[in-house]
Amino acid sequence: MTNVFSNLFFDAEAPILYEIDAHIVGSSPATRRMKQMLTAVSPSDAPVMLSGDTGSGKERAATAIHQASGRKGKLVAVNCAAIPGELLESELFGYEKGAFTGAEEQRVGLIEMADGGSLFLDEIGDMPMALQSKLLRVLEAREIQRVGGRESIAVDFRLITATHRRLTDSVADGKFRADLFYRINVLPVPVPPLAERLEEIPELIDRMLSDHTKQHPHANLPHFAMDAIERLQAHNWPGNIRELRNVVDRAIVMFPGRMLHAGEVDNFLLLIETEGENTGKGPGSGFAVGDQDAVLKMLRDKGAIDIRLILRDMEISMIEGALQMCEGNVTGAAQSLGLQRTTLIEKIKKYGIQKPQ
Ligand SMILES: Nc1ncnc2c1ncn2[C@@H]1O[C@H](COP(=O)(O)OP(=O)(O)OP(=O)(O)O)[C@@H](O)[C@H]1O
């Protein structure tokens, strides 16, 4: 995944800023090149566009750019795909009291909050056309007006965008404004998929485990045997680093202090793949209970499966889901799972599940 801009970065010896190195794990040629590009673009005020597959680390790269830029303000991240179009405008621009039904108080928008810092617009390709025009005006005039407001408010932010789509295709299809595309695509930085940097898997796992230890100093960590690492390096990683994190998180919960071998890794990967297929939402997003087709496919592909491991994993997913839904409230989660509160507490302890804050 290279472009003309990235071809400028051919010097293997080019320096990398400390903040970039600290955030982004990996020393493969693909990652080194990306880190050199991030180092080069960080001090500039020009817009950066990060492109790469889902879970490849675009948000992390945006954080690294902001940290290395020296800008004093905040990094404000907005996922344009996660906020419905009609809400996105008032989220970004803020509103004045009485601007619309329900606007009972004045509200400062996310663009204003990024003043003096950086604004990260993730999945910019999903921004509705009408809002694209408004964003273009902000980038040109460097000022905004809140919804329902008349006053122009000056804003100074560094724009970082990300997309997993080929925005040139969206422009050709009339779904993305060409003028906005050229305005935001000044410094394009491709984020390579994990499949192009498989040699980094041991480094990534080490970092994920050490991050876990920082939060849980007494955690009994799992170990990945050589055959497990080889198996991970033979996988194609459609969910990229997020999928790897999913494997490591499961290993932490289910193999504390134990050694994982290829067989366990196979089970994890199969489960994650089946989850992605069942839900259509990508890897690691939930398990469809009682899906016979999925079970048959697993049996056909593998010949045999470890049903205890899978049931345990399903149980963990359901408990995590219920806790998430009930915002960490154990009584509510127990009710929604049809369990006694004490039984749920035992299971939470047994599996080392973290309650959402
Ligand atoms: N180089 C890295 N080292 C360690 N962890 C990483 C690295 N890159 C990404 N991650 C982790 O992988 C997960 C996905 O990363 P991130 O959210 O940055 O991806 P993304 O490309 O923005 O995903 P999406 O396209 O879905 O928005 C996060 O948990 C992140 O912390």
Side-chain angles (χ1 to χ4, degrees):
M1 190 185 282
T2 54
N3 57 21
V4 177
F5 184 69
S6 70
N7 283 338
L8 296 172
F9 293 84
F10 51 80
D11 180 1
E13 301 305 314
I16 292 171
L17 277 172
Y18 168 80
E19 291 85 353
I20 301 288
D21 235 0
H23 269 84
I24 308 211
V25 179
S27 48
S28 70
T31 302
R32 255 200 91 73
R33 179 187 288 244
M34 172 178 67
K35 291 202 238 190
Q36 286 165 348
M37 293 175 77
L38 296 174
T39 295
V41 302
S42 290
S44 154
D45 282 337
V48 177
M49 185 186 280
L50 302 161
S51 57
D53 297 340
T54 181
S56 55
K58 299 184 292 297
E59 181 153 4
R60 198 169 257 252
T63 308
I65 294 174
H66 175 70
Q67 299 276 319
S69 72
R71 292 185 76 91
K72 298 272 178 288
K74 280 190 253 174
L75 169 70
V76 177
V78 187
N79 185 336
C80 302
I83 305 176
E86 42 316 338
L87 263 185
L88 191 55
E89 178 175 1
S90 53
E91 286 292 314
L92 285 174
F93 289 83
Y95 49 81
E96 295 295 343
K97 186 173 172 181
F100 46 81
T101 323
E104 276 155 22
E105 280 180 12
Q106 180 198 66
R107 169 132 174 218
V108 171
L110 296 166
I111 300 180
E112 255 183 280
M113 286 185 197
D115 188 37
S118 311
L119 178 68
F120 175 50
L121 295 181
D122 201 358
E123 298 306 350
I124 181 92
D126 287 23
M127 182 177 273
M129 283 296 244
L131 209 47
Q132 291 176 27
S133 311
K134 284 197 87 173
L135 177 63
L136 183 63
R137 281 202 294 279
V138 174
L139 297 176
E140 278 164 1
R142 295 260 140 210
E143 54 186 34
I144 61 142
Q145 279 181 343
R146 297 190 189 128
V147 176
R150 292 174 175 221
E151 187 196 353
S152 291
I153 303 163
V155 278
D156 164 29
F157 61 87
R158 196 316 166 60
L159 181 68
I160 307 170
T161 57
T163 175
H164 72 279
R165 298 171 196 276
R166 276 166 56 100
L167 270 194
T168 42
D169 291 348
S170 306
V171 170
D173 294 345
K175 293 191 178 128
F176 201 84
R177 289 185 64 121
D179 43 9
L180 179 61
F181 173 72
Y182 292 116
R183 191 75 184 68
I184 64 179
N185 190 38
V186 181
L187 302 172
V189 179
V191 178
L194 183 54
E196 278 179 24
R197 36 175 162 149
L198 293 168
E199 64 268 50
E200 283 168 11
I201 285 180
E203 278 177 90
L204 283 162
I205 293 178
D206 279 353
R207 172 66 74 89
M208 288 170 188
L209 292 176
S210 73
D211 284 352
H212 183 80
T213 314
K214 276 186 207 139
Q215 284 177 6
H216 309 275
H218 304 296
N220 210 357
L221 295 176
H223 304 277
F224 287 76
M226 208 48 220
D227 60 336
I229 297 283
E230 279 164 12
R231 204 53 67 90
L232 291 171
Q233 287 177 325
H235 184 60
N236 62 350
W237 298 108
N240 290 290
I241 302 184
R242 180 173 296 117
E243 188 182 353
L244 178 64
R245 182 171 282 275
N246 192 327
V247 170
V248 172
D249 285 347
R250 285 176 192 214
I252 290 171
V253 172
M254 292 161 67
F255 289 85
R258 287 167 53 200
M259 183 72 83
L260 272 96
H261 287 280
E264 281 88 42
V265 166
D266 276 345
N267 279 329
F268 280 161
L269 292 176
L270 260 175
L271 190 66
I272 290 170
E273 271 170 24
T274 318
E275 287 167 355
E277 282 164 23
N278 287 341
T279 60
K281 282 189 285 173
S285 44
F287 197 85
V289 183
D291 185 337
Q292 280 200 349
D293 287 347
V295 175
L296 282 174
K297 180 176 182 304
M298 277 167 92
L299 279 170
R300 241 180 268 123
D301 290 351
K302 269 277 291 171
I305 52 176
D306 185 337
I307 194 164
R308 277 157 311 181
L309 192 61
I310 292 171
L311 288 175
R312 197 164 53 162
D313 217 356
M314 280 174 66
E315 193 172 32
I316 290 171
S317 290
M318 287 179 205
I319 294 173
E320 284 175 343
L323 284 168
Q324 195 89 36
M325 193 178 79
C326 300
E327 294 171 345
N329 181 307
V330 178
T331 308
Q335 268 166 7
S336 65
L337 291 166
L339 291 176
Q340 294 290 338
R341 189 170 176 279
T342 45
T343 312
L344 180 58
I345 292 171
E346 269 167 34
K347 287 181 189 291
I348 291 172
K349 261 203 216 130
K350 177 171 150 200
Y351 296 133
I353 293 171
Q354 302 297 320
K355 279 188 270 168
Q357 298 304 316

